[in-house]
Amino acid sequence: MASILDEYEDSLYRSASVQQSRASVGIPHSGYVNARLEKETPIFNKQRIDFAPPEKINSLVVSSNQLCMSLGKDTLLRIDLGKPDEPNQVELGRKDESKVYKMFLDHTGSHLLIALNTSECLYLNRSVQKVRALSRWKGHLIESVGWNKFLGSETNTGPILVGTAQGQIYEAEISVSEGSLFSTNPDQYFRQVYTLEEESGPAPVCCLEIERGIEGKFFIIATTRKRLFQFVGKVPEGTEQQGFSSIFAMHADHLPSFREFPASFGFSEIAFYTPKLRSNPRSFAWMMGNGVLYGTLDYSRPDSILSDERVWVYPSDIDITVNKPISIVLTQFHFLLLLPDRVKAVCTLNGQVVFQDLFLEKFGLLTRMIKDPTVQQIWIHTEKVVFRYHVQRESRDVWKMYMNMNKFDLAKEYCKDRPECLDIVLAKEAEHCFQNKRYLDSAKCYALTQNYFEEIALKFIEAKQEEALMEFLIKKLSNLKPSEKTQTTLLTTWLTELYLNWLGILEGDPSQRNLYLDTREKFRTFLSSPRNKDCLFNNRASIYELLASHGDTEHMVYFAVIMQDYERVVAHHCQHDEYDEALNVLSRHKDEKLFYKFSPVLIQHIPKKVVDAWISMGSRLDARNLIPALVNYSQSASTQQINEAIRYMEFCVYQLEETQQAIHNYLLSLYALCRPDSLLSYLEQAGTNPNRIHYDLKYALRLCAEHGHQHACVHIYKVMELYEEAVDLALQVDVDLAKSCADLPEDDEELRKKLWLKIARHVVQEEKDVKKAMACLSSCALLKIEDVLPFFPDFVTIDHFKEAICNSLEDYNKHIEELKREMEEATQSAKRIREDIQEMRNKYGSVEPQEKCAACDFPLLNRPFYLFLCGHMFHYDCLLQAVFPNLPAYKQAKLEDLQKKLAATSQPSKSHHRPKDADTSSSGKGQQSREQIKADIDDIVAAECVYCGELMIRSIDKPFIDPQKYEEEMQSWL
């Protein structure tokens, strides 16, 4: 094991240069460098708004990117932050000394309520320029408004809740008519639904919030200076427009649930965090006299939605009598407190102050802080200046806080896209699990870190936690890249060794049977994993050695099957006399080479099943390669067992239609040895055409002769056309068989006569049966009585064959008469031929003066010409020109020679003084020779009409244009 660790350490790809300390969070070494990858920009980035108010700012509210601020005594400034260059100024139109006390803007940015210190309230809709007084609200100093986020629209607020300084909670609704905008009062109704009290009596309603949970349940949160009330109830479906009075009525006789704290600085404020627009808040923070109560909201709880509550106590630098907090804002992981001269940001995860921003005195005292929930921007103002905070990547360090709180799942969630931080979290989680003896969980986490492999492995070894070590190695193996082959090989080998050790320990303990089966299944899953397949295959020799060293033949066979090393599997079964299992493996995987290798062994023990397997393989097996196995088997087996070999050979010959000579020869040898009856039928079925016979004739003849199968030998002689040998051997068996052989040479009458004479001699001399000899004469027309007589002994009387002699004489008589008749017919035929020749000599044809040559279309009578019986007429030279190219070469040469001779005989003699006798004699010889030459030329040129004779038929496949002159002809047409 130590050697494997050393090898793995040598193969590690990490460089020693990355050894950086992580002491700040108490985590061991990691492969990542602990560099500060984040930019040093703060989470809360302050920006001063470039705005100089003409008068002091009294109040500021913002929602849905709509900002409203009260300036001086009578001015209201509205700014659409999407169009900041187009501010809208509205005059309140108040001539008394009233001042703006507070302003409230709904979630849509459409409805603005302006509470005056004279217990009056004004209303301004975003779509109008004129402020309207709410008459029903007069006489109440408004402290808080709970907007209806579920029914509110740009023209109607829906039922809302209003809290006053006297502790009353009113339900109201404001609506703006589009037809006649201010023809009626905007406040539809204003009725009291509840009064909040503290121990001393009614207390101002500092904050109101309306939320809807599941199944139509509503939660209403109301705060006073020291108490936080929760009103919970259902509003019947379809009656939401009727308001929330039914919920408050449920608490008319008893107080609702509330949280109370002893200290107070005259008011309180609650803030909520909503992750997405139009969703429910997920957390809250309530600023009151003792500190800040913060936690999450759980809408599934029946009576109170406040969950995971914690109190952040004001530190010593916050004195509620001198510099008490003014406002609070809640973000996803922080709440911000506004003090007169600074802003503090506290992390809600650990309660630590993570940010503090001090404002200069020149800006004046801070007045108010508010957050726009739709764009998550925070606004702060003094009487002179407006600031805005942008929240940038607030969750950047949250992972570290969750990690230090041992909330590792949340920590990993917030650093899943930052591998260097994720590695730190995983290492801390792994160490935490290890210290708490959760070794398997620790191994899983360690496998995902970049910590040194050997350190972790030794850690589990020292703790004697082999199961955890195996889990660590498995996870580490699954995280390796395909290119890291060395590490993969080492881990695979080590895991195999650990599995085998563990299985060996568990197998010997009956009480651990279930664990053994579970571990065995895991080991088999590991061996068969597609991810490990290539590595295991490349190192299968080492795996086999490990399995053999542990004596685990079961898994050796299992591994061999996975590696498709069926040769080893079959060999294992054969060594343990498990022949049926071996054959099952062969039949299942159908590997031809394995069949060839193991068939000699298997057929010795289970011949029938082996032959069945061969037959099921069909043509995929080459029967020639199986013959050695059959030969060895048949030599040591009984006749009954040889039948299995014959069965397979017959399958190859008759079903697969094999034509290999070796297969047919072997089947022939088996037939000759054990089935003589099948031998002759096989030979007859093979036929008598030597070109279509697939066995070796000479081998078959020798084999049949050795085993005394004479009928088979006669058949083979017939196939070899050795008819004399066939007849000689057949006469030893059966005369009728010999007769059938004697008639085979149909084209050779002399041989047939000779064979029949052999049969006759055998019948006469060997069987001494005259009647049978006479029967031979009737069976073969070639034999005559005179051919057979020499074979009879001298003492035989003529009475036995008198009839045969008479029949022979009658045949001779008939033959003579037939010859006479043929001679007379020949004489008559010769006479008719002579008459036809004479008639042809006298035959003639008439030619009209206007007739033209069929070849050149010129007048025919201008030059020598030929007239054919078919009616075609050609000039001599035209016919010669058409016929000559189609004549054979020897006729062309002969024709040229005759033309030369004809030309020579046409020249006049140069001598003018020869005697008259000599001249006459010479002229007669020349004239005769000249006529003969012309006749010879006519026989060649005018043998047949060039258009109607065979010449035209033979030229049908010749092209109209000579290929050698094709280009020339084509150019002439262009």
Side-chain angles (χ1 to χ4, degrees):
M1 189 178 297
S3 62
I4 295 178
L5 276 172
D6 294 340
E7 293 178 22
Y8 193 90
E9 181 180 2
D10 292 339
S11 68
L12 289 175
Y13 51 83
R14 295 192 299 268
S15 172
S17 61
V18 301
Q19 298 179 11
Q20 301 292 327
S21 172
R22 296 189 292 172
S24 60
V25 289
I27 301 301
H29 168 75
S30 166
Y32 291 105
V33 178
N34 185 23
R36 184 176 293 276
L37 301 178
E38 305 291 347
K39 295 182 179 180
E40 293 298 332
T41 56
I43 294 175
F44 302 100
N45 188 20
K46 183 175 67 176
Q47 175 190 6
R48 179 181 176 182
I49 303 302
D50 186 14
F51 171 71
E55 300 180 76
K56 70 176 183 177
I57 302 173
N58 298 320
S59 180
L60 182 147
V61 290
V62 60
S63 181
S64 295
N65 238 12
Q66 302 294 319
L67 184 145
C68 300
M69 66 173 70
S70 171
L71 301 177
K73 177 183 176 182
D74 198 46
T75 304
L76 187 67
L77 188 64
R78 296 187 297 183
I79 301 175
D80 184 349
L81 296 177
K83 304 174 183 178
D85 297 334
E86 300 176 8
N88 176 250
Q89 185 172 320
V90 179
E91 300 296 331
L92 297 181
R94 304 291 296 185
K95 300 190 181 295
D96 52 14
E97 296 299 323
S98 61
K99 297 181 181 179
V100 174
Y101 177 63
K102 284 185 179 180
M103 292 196 305
F104 308 94
L105 186 62
D106 79 320
H107 61 286
T108 65
S110 301
H111 306 283
L112 177 65
L113 291 175
I114 307 166
L116 303 178
N117 58 355
T118 57
S119 298
E120 294 178 87
C121 190
L122 307 178
Y123 170 75
L124 179 64
N125 190 277
R126 184 171 65 181
S127 61
V128 300
Q129 287 289 106
K130 187 176 181 181
V131 178
R132 293 299 304 269
L134 302 177
S135 59
R136 292 186 176 91
W137 296 41
K138 190 172 183 180
H140 302 283
L141 183 62
I142 307 302
E143 287 285 350
S144 58
V145 175
W147 296 105
N148 193 325
K149 293 177 284 187
F150 316 106
L151 297 177
S153 65
E154 293 184 358
T155 60
N156 189 288
T157 62
I160 62 174
L161 296 177
V162 180
T164 67
Q166 291 77 31
Q168 295 95 357
I169 297 178
Y170 288 87
E171 185 179 77
E173 182 176 0
I174 301 174
S175 178
V176 179
S177 175
E178 296 182 0
S180 54
L181 197 56
F182 289 104
S183 60
T184 59
N185 292 329
D187 49 336
Q188 301 298 308
Y189 63 88
F190 190 77
R191 57 174 175 260
Q192 183 176 352
V193 293
Y194 201 80
T195 301
L196 295 183
E197 295 183 355
E198 293 180 352
E199 69 277 0
S200 58
V205 183
C206 299
C207 296
L208 282 170
E209 181 73 15
I210 305 172
E211 296 297 339
R212 182 168 60 185
I214 57 177
E215 299 179 354
K217 185 182 292 186
F218 279 84
F219 298 86
I220 300 173
I221 297 176
T223 66
T224 62
R225 293 166 298 190
K226 297 194 288 185
R227 290 183 178 181
L228 187 151
F229 295 88
Q230 295 184 71
F231 298 87
V232 182
K234 287 187 177 181
V235 175
E237 186 176 356
T239 64
E240 292 88 347
Q241 195 66 41
Q242 297 179 8
F244 308 102
S245 57
S246 60
I247 299 176
F248 290 100
M250 296 169 57
H251 302 87
D253 299 331
H254 62 277
L255 287 175
S257 62
F258 64 90
R259 293 293 310 274
E260 183 175 13
F261 290 87
S264 170
F265 45 62
F267 65 94
S268 70
E269 184 174 343
I270 192 168
F272 297 90
Y273 169 71
T274 304
K276 296 179 181 178
L277 188 64
R278 301 184 185 278
S279 64
N280 291 330
R282 290 290 177 266
S283 56
F284 75 97
W286 180 38
M287 180 186 71
M288 39 74 185
N290 290 89
V292 177
L293 175 69
Y294 62 97
T296 59
L297 299 177
D298 185 357
Y299 295 92
S300 63
R301 299 180 66 180
D303 299 326
S304 173
I305 62 173
L306 306 184
S307 178
D308 297 332
E309 300 176 41
R310 286 167 288 176
V311 177
W312 183 76
V313 180
Y314 297 128
S316 58
D317 61 339
I318 298 179
D319 185 354
I320 63 174
T321 61
V322 179
N323 58 340
K324 58 186 178 183
I326 302 171
S327 295
I328 187 170
V329 163
L330 181 63
T331 63
Q332 185 177 5
F333 298 106
H334 302 83
F335 62 81
L336 281 72
L337 284 178
L338 181 68
L339 301 171
D341 60 346
R342 72 193 65 190
V343 173
K344 282 181 178 286
V346 179
C347 179
T348 56
L349 299 178
N350 56 13
Q352 300 295 318
V353 177
V354 297
F355 173 77
Q356 183 169 272
D357 192 7
L358 186 65
F359 287 77
L360 299 178
E361 293 183 3
K362 66 178 182 178
F363 299 135
L365 295 177
L366 301 178
T367 306
R368 177 78 172 160
M369 176 172 62
I370 192 168
K371 184 181 75 170
D372 186 346
T374 58
V375 295
Q376 303 296 326
Q377 291 180 347
I378 300 170
W379 296 79
I380 298 175
H381 72 92
T382 67
E383 293 182 348
K384 304 176 182 179
V385 186
V386 178
F387 297 93
R388 179 171 57 190
Y389 280 96
H390 293 275
V391 182
Q392 296 181 339
R393 299 180 63 236
E394 184 181 4
S395 62
R396 68 180 70 171
D397 293 326
V398 169
W399 65 270
K400 190 182 299 183
M401 300 176 190
Y402 278 129
M403 180 186 68
N404 291 332
M405 297 164 61
N406 293 335
K407 295 183 178 181
F408 300 108
D409 290 338
L410 290 172
K412 287 183 283 189
E413 181 69 23
Y414 284 100
C415 62
K416 58 185 178 182
D417 56 343
R418 299 163 65 190
E420 74 285 353
C421 301
L422 181 60
D423 185 68
I424 297 173
V425 175
L426 288 169
K428 179 67 178 295
E429 183 181 7
E431 184 65 26
H432 175 77
C433 293
F434 192 90
Q435 291 175 357
N436 288 276
K437 301 187 183 304
R438 292 162 49 203
Y439 296 110
L440 287 177
D441 293 335
S442 176
K444 293 176 183 178
C445 293
Y446 268 132
L448 300 175
T449 68
Q450 296 297 318
N451 288 29
Y452 281 144
F453 169 85
E454 67 281 4
E455 293 178 0
I456 301 169
L458 288 173
K459 195 170 187 176
F460 286 115
I461 293 172
E462 292 172 357
K464 297 181 180 180
Q465 294 296 323
E466 278 200 8
E467 189 176 1
L469 176 60
M470 290 165 60
E471 185 67 28
F472 168 68
L473 296 179
I474 291 171
K475 294 294 183 182
K476 202 70 178 177
L477 178 63
S478 65
N479 294 330
L480 290 178
K481 300 176 183 177
S483 59
E484 298 172 327
K485 296 182 179 180
T486 304
Q487 293 91 324
T488 302
T489 300
L490 291 170
L491 288 181
T492 302
T493 308
W494 192 4
L495 275 169
T496 303
E497 174 73 18
L498 289 174
Y499 268 121
L500 291 173
N501 287 337
W502 189 237
L503 286 172
I505 294 172
L506 294 176
E507 188 175 15
D509 189 352
S511 63
Q512 299 290 333
R513 179 64 180 172
N514 292 334
L515 181 57
Y516 167 76
L517 294 176
D518 184 58
T519 306
R520 185 182 69 175
E521 187 62 29
K522 289 181 180 179
F523 181 43
R524 292 186 175 185
T525 302
F526 166 75
L527 291 177
S528 59
S529 171
R531 181 181 178 84
N532 304 330
K533 183 177 180 180
D534 291 339
C535 177
L536 290 170
F537 181 81
N538 295 331
N539 300 278
R540 58 188 182 279
S542 301
I543 304 299
Y544 281 133
E545 290 178 5
L546 282 175
L547 293 167
S549 66
H550 285 266
D552 195 343
T553 56
E554 178 185 0
H555 284 106
M556 181 180 292
V557 173
Y558 181 83
F559 180 68
V561 171
I562 293 173
M563 294 293 105
Q564 298 182 356
D565 189 0
Y566 303 117
E567 181 177 353
R568 186 182 294 269
V569 177
V570 177
H572 169 80
H573 288 311
C574 291
Q575 290 171 4
H576 292 78
D577 297 335
E578 298 170 352
Y579 302 109
D580 288 333
E581 289 295 328
L583 184 60
N584 288 338
V585 174
L586 290 177
S587 301
R588 187 162 54 249
H589 299 289
K590 303 183 184 303
D591 190 327
E592 297 87 351
K593 294 181 180 178
L594 294 183
F595 267 102
Y596 300 146
K597 181 172 182 177
F598 292 101
S599 289
V601 177
L602 296 176
I603 200 170
Q604 299 291 335
H605 300 88
I606 47 174
K608 185 179 184 306
K609 293 182 179 179
V610 171
V611 172
D612 289 340
W614 289 352
I615 292 175
S616 67
M617 287 288 289
S619 59
R620 281 176 289 189
L621 288 180
D622 188 348
R624 292 178 301 173
N625 295 330
L626 297 173
I627 289 177
L630 292 171
V631 170
N632 293 335
Y633 169 66
S634 61
Q635 289 177 351
S636 60
S638 64
T639 303
Q640 184 177 0
Q641 292 169 324
I642 292 177
N643 288 336
E644 295 299 331
I646 294 177
R647 182 161 69 96
Y648 180 64
M649 288 292 105
E650 287 179 339
F651 170 76
C652 294
V653 170
Y654 298 122
Q655 301 295 325
L656 301 182
E657 299 180 352
E658 286 283 355
T659 59
Q660 296 293 331
Q661 190 178 78
I663 296 173
H664 286 263
N665 286 347
Y666 183 58
L667 178 59
L668 196 67
S669 69
L670 293 175
Y671 279 150
L673 182 64
C674 296
R675 291 189 187 175
D677 297 337
S678 300
L679 173 62
L680 188 59
S681 63
Y682 165 76
L683 293 174
E684 291 174 350
Q685 188 174 354
T688 58
N689 187 345
N691 296 325
R692 296 183 179 180
I693 288 176
H694 304 302
Y695 59 85
D696 188 341
L697 289 168
K698 295 181 180 178
Y699 171 75
L701 182 62
R702 184 175 70 252
L703 193 66
C704 294
E706 288 178 358
H707 292 83
H709 303 309
Q710 292 180 333
H711 276 82
C713 291
V714 171
H715 179 82
I716 295 171
Y717 276 135
K718 290 192 295 184
V719 175
M720 298 173 70
E721 298 182 355
L722 300 175
Y723 302 115
E724 292 189 46
E725 289 82 352
V727 170
D728 291 340
L729 184 59
L731 289 173
Q732 299 177 19
V733 180
D734 184 11
V735 174
D736 291 334
L737 180 61
K739 290 180 180 180
S740 65
C741 295
D743 283 332
L744 290 176
E746 297 176 354
D747 299 332
D748 192 344
E749 292 185 353
E750 183 179 352
L751 178 59
R752 286 174 60 202
K753 184 176 181 180
K754 181 179 179 181
L755 297 176
W756 277 102
L757 286 173
K758 282 178 177 281
I759 297 171
R761 177 182 293 176
H762 174 81
V763 171
V764 172
Q765 295 180 353
E766 299 296 331
E767 298 186 4
K768 299 182 181 358
D769 189 340
V770 178
K771 291 183 178 181
K772 189 179 287 188
M774 292 302 101
C776 290
L777 292 178
S778 63
S779 298
C780 181
L782 299 177
L783 289 183
K784 304 297 180 185
I785 186 62
E786 61 268 28
D787 298 326
V788 181
L789 286 176
F791 302 145
F792 288 96
D794 295 338
F795 58 85
V796 177
T797 61
I798 197 171
D799 294 338
H800 292 91
F801 42 83
K802 180 175 68 173
E803 184 180 354
I805 293 174
C806 292
N807 292 335
S808 179
L809 290 174
E810 289 179 1
D811 290 341
Y812 280 131
N813 232 0
K814 291 178 181 179
H815 185 58
I816 290 170
E817 291 297 328
E818 186 177 352
L819 289 176
K820 285 181 180 180
R821 187 173 63 254
E822 289 178 358
M823 289 174 62
E824 290 176 0
E825 290 177 356
T827 302
Q828 292 296 327
S829 178
K831 183 179 177 181
R832 286 195 296 271
I833 291 172
R834 282 194 297 271
E835 292 174 354
D836 290 342
I837 292 173
Q838 186 63 35
E839 184 181 355
M840 288 297 295
R841 287 177 179 174
N842 298 327
K843 196 169 184 179
Y844 66 92
S846 61
V847 178
E848 298 295 333
Q850 67 272 17
E851 293 290 349
K852 295 183 180 181
C853 174
C856 65
D857 205 30
F858 281 96
L860 186 68
L861 299 178
N862 291 349
R863 302 196 298 275
F865 64 89
Y866 290 98
L867 171 62
F868 292 94
L869 292 176
C870 62
H872 288 116
M873 294 168 280
F874 300 91
H875 289 126
Y876 166 75
D877 54 342
C878 293
L879 183 62
L880 180 64
Q881 184 178 1
V883 171
F884 186 81
N886 297 289
L887 292 174
Y890 75 93
K891 284 192 176 182
Q892 290 180 354
K894 184 177 179 181
L895 182 59
E896 290 176 351
D897 184 55
L898 290 173
Q899 287 177 331
K900 290 179 181 178
K901 289 181 180 180
L902 181 63
T905 57
S906 300
Q907 292 178 359
S909 176
K910 296 181 180 181
S911 175
H912 301 283
H913 305 286
R914 286 183 293 181
K916 185 177 181 179
D917 301 346
D919 187 53
T920 303
S921 174
S922 174
S923 175
K925 293 180 181 178
Q927 186 68 25
Q928 182 181 2
S929 176
R930 180 181 176 82
E931 292 300 327
Q932 183 63 41
I933 292 171
K934 284 185 176 182
D936 292 340
I937 291 175
D938 289 343
D939 290 341
I940 296 174
V941 176
E944 60 181 359
C945 176
V946 70
Y947 286 170
C948 303
E950 293 183 1
L951 182 63
M952 180 60 67
I953 298 174
R954 288 197 304 270
S955 65
I956 193 170
D957 59 343
K958 293 183 179 180
F960 292 109
I961 301 174
D962 187 352
Q964 297 179 353
K965 299 180 180 180
Y966 180 80
E967 292 294 334
E968 179 182 350
E969 184 70 21
M970 186 175 66
Q971 293 296 329
S972 67
W973 283 72
L974 297 178

